């Protein structure tokens, strides 16, 4: 009898060892959750492509923790409720360890409850409106103080702009960003009648009346600029109509927060020369790191004409931060990565470094680029130092008292510095 028990025990031990060895050989699955169809595909398809490149390059280095990485790509089709369903599928069906995805804030907000419930990891690569910090999300794109506020400062100080058109797509990112900008402009002494705000639906195509209104608004004798938070393929007819109506950059400059090299690739840029964009990276940046990235990208995609852009760099930074945090933790388990990632520092593509802050935002340079006739941007201005991402705006009274810090002892995304209380595990309602 004793021999039988010993044989069974040995079999169980052997089985456990074999199971552990098999698990060690299994790939680490990385979720790629982007719109590959619908109105946002113009911007997001290339983010799927760069994630596949980053995963392939990491596998060439031996993978992660001795295991290969396996991408799990799902098209969310510019459908925000579908995004939440697919985020759940990523974890419950596909068994991913981290997800890189979304572009719009409505997408991010749709999937947030899923990541919180399942304790997943989302690396979000696009500029956004702030007013949020969630334990399970890492915001590798710009917050308003890393894009919108510096862009307005540039227009005001360098271009002498006095009248402002805040034009955006009708959803949370433009609405909240413009709320912050309106408060900031008024704080700077801009009168309410010198601020025009306009929203259009996703995929909007008829810009004739709106561009005419912008021209009329800019005819008062005061220098006028358009601050654009228009997203997706609506940018193509918007810029085309600017050209049709002769809205030149020297008369009414447009500074865009969601138009980069990828969007310009589909446009006749000749009428747009001189208009601006505010980002934290441009393909034209001349650094060894960027040259290597572009060379790798062209080799991977097999097309020397394919451009790079800011959200691609954000995925590059976020992916490398995740890799570094997993290596530091010795595990892909979410809690271990969350604990390990704060303070992780990796190179950016502009010659500096990005650091993950306790509020789950990162440090970034801010660049203003001018559109050239070849579809690239000439950098005309940049910050002297890296700018830390601010989760909560200093220009909204309800937000100015809030801080985010996901380290002990605070461990809160919206800590009220006046009452010294945490408002909740996630963000205050927008």
């Amino acid at each position: 009898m004793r021999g039988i028990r010993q044989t069974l025990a040995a079999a169980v031990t052997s089985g456990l060892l074999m199971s552990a060895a098999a698990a060690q050989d299994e790939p680490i699955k990385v979720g790629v959750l982007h719109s590959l169809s619908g109105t946002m595909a113009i911007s997001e398809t290339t983010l799927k492509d760069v994630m596949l490149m980053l995963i392939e390059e990491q596998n060439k280095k031996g993978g992660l923790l001795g295991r290969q990485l396996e991408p799990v790509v799902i098209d969310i089709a510019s459908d925000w409720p579908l995004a939440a369903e697919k985020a759940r599928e990523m974890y419950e069906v596909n068994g991913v360890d981290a997800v890189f995805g979304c572009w719009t804030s409505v997408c991010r907000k749709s999937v947030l409850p899923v990541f919180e419930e399942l304790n997943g990891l989302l690396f979000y690569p696009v500029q956004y409106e702030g007013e949020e910090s969630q334990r399970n999300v890492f915001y590798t794109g710009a917050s308003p103080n890393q894009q919108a506020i510096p862009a307005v400062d540039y227009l005001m100080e360098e271009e002498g702009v006095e009248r402002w058109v805040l034009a955006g797509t009708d959803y949370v990112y433009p609405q909240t960003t413009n709320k912050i900008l309106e408060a900031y402009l008024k704080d700077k002494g801009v009168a309410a009648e010198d601020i025009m705000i306009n929203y259009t639906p996703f995929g909007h195509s008829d810009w004739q009346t709106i561009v005419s209104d912008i021209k009329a608004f800019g005819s008062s004798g005061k220098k006028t600029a358009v601050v654009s938070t228009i997203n997706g393929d609506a940018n193509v007819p918007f810029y085309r109509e600017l050209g049709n109506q002769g809205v030149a950059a020297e008369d009414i400059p447009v500074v865009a927060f969601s138009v980069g090299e990828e969007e310009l690739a589909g446009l006749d840029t000749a009428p747009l020369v001189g208009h601006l964009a505010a980002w934290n990276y441009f393909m034209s940046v001349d650094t060894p790191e960027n040259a290597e990235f572009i060379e790798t990208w062209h080799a991977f995609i097999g097309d020397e004409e394919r451009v790079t852009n800011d959200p691609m760099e954000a995925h590059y930074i976020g992916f490398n931060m995740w890799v570094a945090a997993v290596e530091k933790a010795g595990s892909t388990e979410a809690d271990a990565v969350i604990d390990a990632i704060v303070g992780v520092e990796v190179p950016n593509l502009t010659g500096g470094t990005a650091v993950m802050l306790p509020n789950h935002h990162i440090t970034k340079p801010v660049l203003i680029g001018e559109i050239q006739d070849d579809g690239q941007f000439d950098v005309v201005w940049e910050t002297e130092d890296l700018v830390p991402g601010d989760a909560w705006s200093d220009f909204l009274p309800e937000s100015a008292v809030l801080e985010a810090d996901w380290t002990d002892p605070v461990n809160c995304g919206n800590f009220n510095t006046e009452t010294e209380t945490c408002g909740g595990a996630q963000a205050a309602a927008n």
Side-chain angles (χ1 to χ4, degrees):
M1 191 71 175
R2 184 166 173 243
I4 295 173
R5 283 198 299 268
Q6 288 175 330
T7 301
L8 287 172
V12 169
T13 301
S14 175
L16 289 172
L17 289 172
M18 289 176 64
S19 178
Q24 187 63 26
D25 290 337
E26 289 180 358
I28 296 170
K29 294 185 178 181
V30 180
V32 181
L33 193 69
H34 279 299
S35 294
L36 310 181
S37 57
T39 188
M40 292 308 302
I42 185 176
S43 298
E44 294 192 64
T45 299
T46 199
L47 297 187
K48 176 267 294 182
D49 292 337
V50 80
M51 281 305 305
L52 295 181
M53 180 191 85
L54 292 168
I55 290 167
E56 181 179 285
E57 291 299 304
Q58 187 64 33
N59 282 336
K60 289 179 183 176
K61 299 174 187 175
L64 187 57
L65 303 182
R67 298 159 64 188
Q68 290 286 285
L69 302 180
E70 179 184 313
V72 177
V73 178
I74 294 183
D75 176 15
I76 54 177
S78 307
D79 182 329
W80 320 129
L82 178 66
E85 293 177 25
K86 294 303 182 181
R88 183 175 296 279
E89 182 181 317
M90 283 275 190
Y91 276 92
E92 294 185 339
V93 177
N94 300 111
V96 301
D97 288 287
V99 173
F100 295 78
C102 283
W103 180 291
T104 68
S105 285
V106 67
C107 173
R108 189 191 69 257
K109 287 185 176 294
S110 294
V111 304
L112 275 182
V114 177
F115 284 89
E116 186 176 32
E117 176 194 341
L118 301 179
N119 196 28
L121 301 175
L122 173 65
F123 287 80
Y124 177 65
V126 185
Q127 87 291 347
Y128 87 119
E129 69 281 359
E131 306 306 290
E132 178 182 295
S133 179
Q134 212 267 3
R135 180 177 180 270
N136 299 86
V137 180
F138 303 97
Y139 306 82
T140 57
S143 58
N145 75 304
Q146 295 173 307
Q147 185 186 37
I149 298 297
V152 165
D153 285 342
Y154 170 81
L155 289 171
M156 196 175 284
E157 296 165 11
E158 303 295 330
E159 302 275 351
V161 172
E162 297 178 283
R163 299 202 95 192
W164 304 84
V165 178
L166 308 182
T169 302
D170 194 10
Y171 75 106
V172 63
Y173 161 60
Q175 291 165 353
T176 307
T177 299
N178 288 339
K179 182 181 177 183
I180 292 168
L181 287 179
E182 185 179 14
Y184 183 69
L185 288 169
K186 288 179 177 178
D187 188 56
K188 288 283 191 177
V190 178
E193 60 266 25
D194 287 329
I195 303 173
M196 170 184 167
I197 302 175
N198 177 267
Y199 294 108
T200 46
F202 279 102
H204 188 70
S205 59
D206 183 5
W207 290 94
Q208 188 171 353
T209 301
I210 295 170
V211 171
S212 295
D213 291 343
I214 291 170
K215 286 182 70 176
F217 186 75
S219 65
S220 69
K222 292 182 178 180
K223 181 69 173 180
T224 302
V226 177
V227 178
S228 172
T229 47
I230 298 165
N231 262 262
D233 57 9
N235 277 294
V236 175
F238 170 63
Y239 278 94
R240 186 178 295 127
E241 188 60 32
L242 289 175
N244 290 344
Q245 296 197 31
V247 179
E250 57 266 27
D251 299 323
I252 303 177
V254 177
V255 60
F257 300 160
S258 298
V259 173
E261 293 85 348
E262 187 74 9
E263 289 75 19
L264 288 180
L267 295 173
D268 173 14
T269 56
L272 308 182
V273 171
H275 287 300
L276 306 165
W279 289 104
N280 311 101
Y281 162 87
F282 289 109
M283 184 177 183
S284 58
V285 168
D286 185 14
T287 64
E289 295 88 352
N290 192 35
E292 182 181 353
F293 179 76
I294 293 169
E295 182 180 355
T296 303
W297 169 244
H298 284 159
F300 172 80
I301 210 70
D303 182 356
E304 294 285 325
E305 300 302 314
R306 282 287 294 275
V307 296
T308 61
N309 62 20
D310 181 285
M312 291 172 68
E313 190 216 24
H315 261 339
Y316 167 85
I317 291 169
F319 179 79
N320 288 332
M321 283 184 162
W322 174 70
V323 168
V326 168
E327 290 174 339
K328 180 179 173 183
S331 170
T332 59
E333 197 270 333
D335 290 335
V337 172
I338 291 169
D339 288 342
I341 200 168
V342 172
V344 163
E345 183 172 352
V346 301
N348 61 28
L349 296 177
T350 57
T353 58
V355 179
M356 181 61 69
L357 304 171
N359 63 7
H360 285 187
H361 295 64
I362 67 174
T363 57
K364 285 178 168 286
V366 186
L367 313 176
I368 305 292
E370 186 178 277
I371 298 174
Q372 305 298 295
D373 57 9
D374 62 356
Q376 289 293 322
F377 291 87
D378 178 38
V379 177
V380 296
W381 180 89
E382 61 184 294
T383 51
E384 291 184 8
D385 301 311
L386 295 172
V387 179
D390 191 358
W392 300 97
S393 175
D394 295 335
F395 304 104
L396 300 178
E398 65 272 23
S399 301
V401 297
L402 299 179
E403 289 184 357
D405 185 340
W406 290 108
T407 62
D408 289 330
V410 178
N411 263 316
C412 177
N414 55 349
F415 182 78
N416 190 307
T417 57
E418 290 185 346
T419 63
E420 296 189 346
T421 57
C422 182
Q426 207 199 122
N430 288 329

